[in-house]
Amino acid sequence: MKVELPNFESYGDKFSKTGFLDKIAKIAKRAGSKLVYAALVLFYTLQSKEVSIKDKGMIVAALGFLISPIDAIPDAIPIVGLSDDLAVLLFVLDKIWGDVPEDVKEKAKNKLSKWFDEGEMEELNEIIGEDGELITPAEEK
């Protein structure tokens, strides 16, 4: 059986500011505030001139995985469909968290607050501790 891959060049516009934010806005409620916050932080960090080429490569790979039509678990499957995307985003976010400027984190939260209510925003407490540090799955109680 021959597997036909999609035309990845057609996804180039998704990395533009408006293209990416439009994509995130469409999946925001279904994806949840944790995934959307991670994606926004990575996207805004990618725009920073102070990010290393290595970190930019990881960010592009993670965001590419998010917007790619090829997935380990199809996004259309309720609840678990975006779990692989969240895992990839959090893995990369954990690697670069110490280098993410505070204004980027705030910019992502401000954008997030336009799409989610206060209760939904509280989900972020599951990935960001009171000290502002990222909570990785290994650190969870």
Side-chain angles (χ1 to χ4, degrees):
M1 177 164 84
K2 183 178 176 182
V3 175
E4 185 141 343
L5 294 176
N7 177 2
F8 288 107
E9 290 179 10
S10 68
Y11 285 83
D13 66 325
K14 300 292 189 251
F15 277 107
S16 71
K17 184 174 182 176
T18 56
F20 183 78
L21 293 177
D22 287 348
K23 164 77 176 182
I24 293 297
K26 288 177 187 172
I27 67 165
K29 288 293 185 178
R30 187 168 48 97
S33 62
K34 292 184 287 188
L35 184 142
V36 175
Y37 179 73
L40 289 171
V41 168
L42 292 175
F43 181 72
Y44 292 142
T45 300
L46 184 61
Q47 297 172 358
S48 172
K49 291 178 177 42
E50 296 147 24
V51 179
S52 72
I53 296 296
K54 178 184 142 212
D55 288 351
K56 283 188 178 192
M58 287 191 305
I59 293 169
V60 166
L63 295 178
F65 185 77
L66 175 65
I67 65 171
S68 171
I70 297 176
D71 242 335
I73 303 171
D75 293 346
I77 298 174
I79 302 172
V80 297
L82 292 166
S83 62
D84 59 335
D85 297 283
L86 178 61
V88 169
L89 294 176
L90 289 178
F91 175 80
V92 172
L93 196 57
D94 182 51
K95 297 294 181 197
I96 68 161
W97 188 254
D99 296 326
V100 176
E102 288 302 316
D103 65 315
V104 166
K105 295 173 187 177
E106 280 305 309
K107 185 176 180 180
K109 278 186 183 177
N110 289 338
K111 186 67 165 178
L112 201 66
S113 68
K114 294 177 181 177
W115 293 329
F116 294 94
D117 63 30
E118 194 173 309
E120 294 165 319
M121 292 286 290
E122 288 180 13
E123 282 185 14
L124 292 182
N125 296 336
E126 296 174 21
I127 62 169
I128 302 172
E130 290 180 20
D131 58 359
E133 290 301 310
L134 195 66
I135 300 170
T136 60
E139 296 171 346
E140 290 178 359
K141 296 176 184 175

